[in-house]
Amino acid sequence: ATKFANGVRQAADLFDQLADTNRDARRRVKVLVLAAEVSLLAKDPLVELAAGFLDRAKPLAEPLPTTESTLADYHYQWLRVSQSRVRDDSIREHANWLVKHTTQPTYRLVALVSSAQAVDRQLANAAGAQRQALLMAGYQIYHELSQRLGAGREAILGRKTARVAASRLASYATALKKYPEAVTLLDRLGSAFPKDRNYLKRAGRVQLRAGNPEQSLAHWRTLLAGSAKSSDTWFEAKYHQILCLQKIDKNRAQQVLRQFKLLHPKDGPPAWRERFRQLTP
């Protein structure tokens, strides 16, 4: 394999030197991209060597029409180099080009996944306008990704990637206050994976943020009924149960809170103590 790769790189070097700059531009790009590809296929990928071939191809590739298949190969190999370097801006640049222009399903799917992962990483340290722009970008990417992988019950049950995409889409929808969409996704996930309490918790929080305390309360009551008493999940559900009741029936909320304080005079474990103390008596 190493001998073959070396042969491809040598042939690419020779062709690039001898080919006519204008007439053979497309073929020069093709052989340089091939040399980059074999460099990345090595057991220990030769990332910088591959980047060198792609840099040489750049001035020849950029003028090519977007319908040129060689150009899609060029951006795909740059995407792989950018992933190895973990350069999120570059990942998104080449992934976005592929999503917009390529007709190859594999390239498009890899580009969507790569771009989504890059946005997730960038969002962790973003604030203000940059954060809002990343939220919109992430939502759009996961929306398309979820459509491609499937967001129905069968797809979510059958493919882990579909489940992850639907869950991440719900997170971005929540952050952008697209609450009905987030609730629909989380309810679907919760129905497909009833033992995963995380989906119930998230649906309960979203319903409360959306101003639907009755729907939120139903989720927290389900969690209370299915959780061991005095477990962390039980305290979380109890806190939100009272919070919801305060918006629905204040008298009932006071009764539940008094009962809680009788059973838990220290207001629960440290992780929840302060929040229970902030609840209106």
Side-chain angles (χ1 to χ4, degrees):
T2 302
K3 186 176 181 181
F4 169 75
N6 287 335
V8 170
R9 284 191 288 266
Q10 289 170 6
D13 278 328
L14 184 61
F15 184 83
D16 187 42
Q17 291 169 18
L18 298 177
D20 181 88
T21 302
N22 298 315
R23 189 161 52 90
D24 293 321
R26 187 186 67 81
R27 282 183 288 181
R28 284 177 68 191
V29 172
K30 197 176 186 73
V31 297
L32 289 168
V33 169
L34 178 59
E37 182 178 2
V38 298
S39 300
L40 293 171
L41 288 173
K43 187 176 180 180
D44 292 315
L46 304 173
V47 177
E48 297 311 315
L49 188 59
F53 281 111
L54 294 172
D55 276 330
R56 286 161 62 181
K58 185 176 181 178
L60 302 164
E62 288 182 342
L64 294 175
T66 55
T67 53
E68 174 59 59
S69 62
T70 301
L71 193 55
D73 296 335
Y74 165 80
H75 282 283
Y76 182 70
Q77 297 309 323
W78 260 129
L79 176 60
R80 294 179 66 202
V81 166
S82 303
Q83 287 175 315
S84 294
R85 290 171 163 177
V86 196
R87 295 184 182 175
D88 289 329
D89 285 338
S90 184
I91 288 172
R92 290 184 62 200
E93 175 191 346
H94 296 289
N96 289 346
W97 188 97
L98 288 164
V99 169
K100 186 176 181 180
H101 297 294
T102 189
T103 57
Q104 293 192 42
T106 302
Y107 280 7
R108 192 176 182 84
L109 184 58
V110 171
L112 282 168
V113 172
S114 302
S115 187
Q117 291 170 340
V119 170
D120 286 344
R121 287 191 295 267
Q122 289 181 314
L123 192 60
N125 300 309
Q130 183 192 20
R131 176 177 172 78
Q132 193 65 21
L134 285 168
L135 286 173
M136 284 300 302
Y139 172 80
Q140 290 164 359
I141 293 164
Y142 276 109
H143 190 275
E144 181 170 351
L145 192 55
S146 193
Q147 283 188 320
R148 284 183 164 271
L149 296 172
R153 181 183 171 83
E154 287 186 12
I156 289 171
L157 278 168
R159 300 191 201 102
K160 184 180 178 181
T161 50
R163 177 186 179 184
V164 171
S167 179
R168 293 300 299 147
L169 178 58
S171 294
Y172 278 95
T174 300
L176 291 169
K177 299 183 180 180
K178 297 177 182 287
Y179 298 129
E181 182 177 1
V183 167
T184 297
L185 288 163
L186 290 169
D187 283 347
R188 195 176 297 155
L189 286 161
S191 173
F193 297 93
K195 291 184 180 180
D196 191 326
R197 295 174 180 174
N198 179 50
Y199 297 135
L200 267 178
K201 292 179 184 180
R202 289 170 63 189
R205 293 189 203 107
V206 172
Q207 289 283 24
L208 192 57
R209 287 175 63 180
N212 302 321
E214 294 90 350
Q215 292 92 325
S216 178
L217 180 60
H219 290 304
W220 297 114
R221 280 177 169 163
T222 300
L223 281 162
L224 278 170
S227 303
K229 285 192 175 181
S230 298
S231 65
D232 188 68
T233 296
W234 188 89
F235 280 109
E236 182 177 2
K238 178 58 70 173
Y239 168 80
H240 283 95
Q241 178 198 28
I242 298 168
L243 199 61
C244 291
L245 284 170
Q246 286 182 339
K247 299 176 183 299
I248 301 167
D249 185 341
K250 289 187 177 181
N251 289 333
R252 178 59 181 152
Q254 288 176 359
Q255 290 172 10
V256 175
L257 184 57
R258 281 196 297 268
Q259 183 184 40
F260 172 82
K261 287 181 177 291
L262 282 172
L263 295 172
H264 302 276
K266 292 185 178 180
D267 294 314
W272 289 96
R273 191 168 295 156
E274 189 57 35
R275 277 182 271 192
F276 274 109
R277 288 174 180 171
Q278 290 175 0
L279 290 171
T280 305

